[in-house]
């Protein structure tokens, strides 16, 4: 199969879909790998690194899209990239379609076979291709929150961990999954006072077992969210409903009651955000202020630590890339129900029920298109 890797063009996105070592694995299996000129520079890989791995370098994204049977990316294709897709071409990347009607419509028009990293599942009900970026984003969220609390960034001027004789910041984490657990780990390490809210008692037990008395666990209700959010110095939103828009758990009224100079980091922003006052920002302009509360809502947080993120992502995507390349998408999807769960769009049909419900569009079961 011909596999193409274009350079990411989202604002301050430095990750790349395939690293040289992964390109070598694919070329050793007899596949052709085409990398756009300098696509890997942001993650520390030169054209020569890819050439040494057996890949070919193409001058432009146009050439990559025109040549490849499968496009492997990191972030969702922007409009200019979506226009390059063609019927029956495989697109394998993060899509996050639920809050993005324009992208959904363009992918439907393209006729391409679009498989989203974030809805591929595993035997344990997890999301293995989302997990490493959730780990990164969870850890980064505390760094970002600590920065947002600094006076020069609009915050109240509070050090997250305090110092002897001065109390630390109160960090409230909504969601005890991969994002929330990793955020708690860093917040505890920095000396903050940490509360995690979740509706899963099992998740709360797991966090309690991991952190003990260093983290307060609270069953999540509207009342609990309001009580803890309005008393927090930093709120981290790590809520996820696979494939669907994130629920708006923190309302405008709650934000209005928060302390002046407090901060919100909405990691759920890729799926629309779990805070009513959130809207997506970029690494170039990461924050804005609503009701004296600093909001950090960067939609591609892991892109800022591209070297770490790219390797972490490739570690989990490569087996699926190899399977798609070896078997073709029809056989691969029929053979693997977990990969099949990643199919969001195929030949003008929407095959992810949660996305269809988000946009009030027709849903087509994936198996009906493959058999």
């Amino acid at each position: 199969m011909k596999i193409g890797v274009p350079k990411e063009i989202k604002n301050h996105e430095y990750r790349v879909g395939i690293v040289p070592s992964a390109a070598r694995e694919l070329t050793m299996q007899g596949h052709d790998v085409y990398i756009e000129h300098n696509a890997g520079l942001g993650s520390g890989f030169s054209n020569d690194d890819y050439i040494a791995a057996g890949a070919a370098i193409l001058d432009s994204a146009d050439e990559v899209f025109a040549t490849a049977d499968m496009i492997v990316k990191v972030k969702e294709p922007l409009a200019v990239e979506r226009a390059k897709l063609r019927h029956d071409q495989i697109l394998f990347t993060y899509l996050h379609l639920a809050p993005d009607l324009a992208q959904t419509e363009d992918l439907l028009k393209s006729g391409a076979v679009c498989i989203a990293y974030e809805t591929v599942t595993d035997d344990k009900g997890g999301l293995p291709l989302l997990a490493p970026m959730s780990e990164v984003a969870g850890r980064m969220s505390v760094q970002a929150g600590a920065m947002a609390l600094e006076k020069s960034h609009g915050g109240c001027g509070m050090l997250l961990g305090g110092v002897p004789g001065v109390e630390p910041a109160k960090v409230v984490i909504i969601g005890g999954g991969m994002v929330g657990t990793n955020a708690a780990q860093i917040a505890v390490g920095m000396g903050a006072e940490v509360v995690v809210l979740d509706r899963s008692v099992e998740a709360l037990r797991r966090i309690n077992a991991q952190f003990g008395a260093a983290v307060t666990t609270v069953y999540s209700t509207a009342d609990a969210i309001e009580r803890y959010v309005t008393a927090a110095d930093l709120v981290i939103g790590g809520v996820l409903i696979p494939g669907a828009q994130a629920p708006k758990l923190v309302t405008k009224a709650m934000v209005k009651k928060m302390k002046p100079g407090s901060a919100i980091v909405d990691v759920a922003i890729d799926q629309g955000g779990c805070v009513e006052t959130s809207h997506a920002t970029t690494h170039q302009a990461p924050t804005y202020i609503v009701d004296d509360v600093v909001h950090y809502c960067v939609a591609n947080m892991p892109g800022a630590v591209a070297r770490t993120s790219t390797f972490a992502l490739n570690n989990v995507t490569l087996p699926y890339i190899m399977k798609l390349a070896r078997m073709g998408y029809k056989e691969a999807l029929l053979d693997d129900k977990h990969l099949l769960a990643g199919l969001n769009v195929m030949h003008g049909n929407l095959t992810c029920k949660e996305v269809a419900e988000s946009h009030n569009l027709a849903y087509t079961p994936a198996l009906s298109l493959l058999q």
Side-chain angles (χ1 to χ4, degrees), residues 76-274:
E76 72 280 356
L78 301 186
V80 66
E81 296 173 302
R82 301 195 293 266
K84 303 179 198 299
L85 291 167
R86 64 177 185 272
H87 180 80
D88 213 41
Q89 189 172 41
I90 304 167
L91 173 65
F92 194 33
T93 188
Y94 288 117
L95 292 176
H96 299 292
L97 293 178
D100 192 343
L101 179 59
Q103 185 194 176
T104 303
E105 290 177 336
D106 284 351
L107 294 183
L108 288 169
K109 289 175 188 174
S110 74
V113 178
C114 306
I115 304 170
Y117 293 160
E118 72 274 9
T119 59
V120 173
T121 58
D122 63 21
D123 286 328
K124 298 176 182 177
L127 303 170
L129 306 192
L130 186 62
M133 296 303 95
S134 295
E135 289 174 326
V136 172
R139 295 180 181 212
M140 285 187 69
S141 69
V142 181
Q143 297 177 194
M147 182 183 68
L149 288 174
E150 295 175 13
K151 199 70 177 175
S152 59
H153 292 98
C156 60
M158 173 176 277
L159 182 66
L160 203 69
V163 293
V166 181
E167 65 179 359
K170 295 178 176 65
V171 177
V172 173
I173 301 168
I174 305 174
M178 192 67 72
V179 168
T181 301
N182 280 271
Q185 181 177 340
I186 302 303
V188 167
M190 294 179 73
E193 181 183 318
V194 183
V195 175
V196 174
L197 296 97
D198 200 290
R199 285 201 167 187
S200 166
V201 175
E202 285 305 310
L204 297 177
R205 285 180 178 143
R206 173 178 48 77
I207 288 169
N208 180 257
Q210 181 172 347
F211 298 106
V215 172
T216 299
T217 56
V218 177
Y219 185 80
S220 182
T221 62
D223 181 73
I225 291 172
E226 180 172 16
R227 186 154 43 96
Y228 283 95
V229 163
T230 54
D233 300 300
L234 170 61
V235 174
I236 295 173
V239 180
L240 174 69
I241 299 176
Q245 285 204 61
K248 304 296 185 186
L249 300 181
V250 178
T251 66
K252 292 179 181 178
M254 291 180 198
V255 173
K256 200 172 186 67
K257 292 179 182 177
M258 289 178 68
K259 305 174 194 175
S262 56
I264 293 171
V265 178
D266 196 344
V267 184
I269 196 65
D270 271 332
Q271 294 293 122
C274 62

